[in-house]
Amino acid sequence: MKPTYFCDRNLGRKFPMRLRELGLTVELHDEHFRQEERDEVWIPHVSQQGWVILTLDERIRFNKVEKTMLLVYGARVILLPNPSQRTSGWLLQVAEEFAKAQAQVERFINKTPPPFVARFQVIHKGDRKRYGLKHLGP
C-alpha cells in the first residue's frame, strides 16, 4: 500500500506540490489546519489517519508535549535533510530525491512499527547516490 504523506507547514507549498507532480499522495498542513495550529493539535489527527509526517522540525522528537503525542498516537515521522547552507531550490531538490527513493522509503515504513522518527538521507559515494532512512527512535 502506498503511503499518504502529510507535509508540515515548514515545508511550504512548493515542496508538497512537487511531490504530487511526481506521483506521491500528499496532504498539506494548510489544507486541514490553520497556519498557526500547534503541532500537538494536528499530530493526533494526522497519526489517526495513518499518514506519514514529513517535516524539517528536528525539535519535534525532543519537545515533551509533541513527543508524548507522537508516542500516544503512534506517529510515523520522517525528518528531511535541512542543510545549514541553503542554496536556491534546495527544498525542491530534496523533493526530487525523496520521490526517487520511494522503494526504500516504503520498505522502511512497511517494516517499522509505529511510533517512529526516522531521518531521510541522501548518501553520496563518488558520482553515485544512495538513499536511506536512519531510525532515530520514538
Side-chain angles (χ1 to χ4, degrees), residues 69-83:
M69 293 294 114
L70 296 177
L71 292 170
V72 168
Y73 291 95
R76 300 180 297 169
V77 180
I78 297 176
L79 298 174
L80 298 170
N82 192 2

Side-chain angles (χ1 to χ4, degrees), residues 50-66:
W51 299 342
V52 178
I53 299 166
L54 300 180
T55 187
L56 295 171
D57 184 6
E58 295 273 341
R59 297 179 321 270
I60 199 167
R61 58 191 262 249
F62 299 114
N63 175 293
K64 187 174 182 177
V65 173
E66 292 170 8

Side-chain angles (χ1 to χ4, degrees), residues 17-48:
M17 293 305 182
R18 184 65 186 135
L19 290 181
R20 282 182 177 168
E21 290 169 5
L22 294 167
L24 279 66
T25 303
V26 178
E27 299 291 334
L28 280 71
H29 177 280
D30 293 354
E31 292 174 341
H32 300 275
F33 305 99
R34 295 173 304 143
Q35 175 67 30
E36 67 279 357
E37 194 69 76
R38 297 173 54 94
D39 291 356
E40 59 265 22
V41 173
W42 62 257
I43 289 171
H45 175 76
V46 168
S47 299
Q48 288 172 328

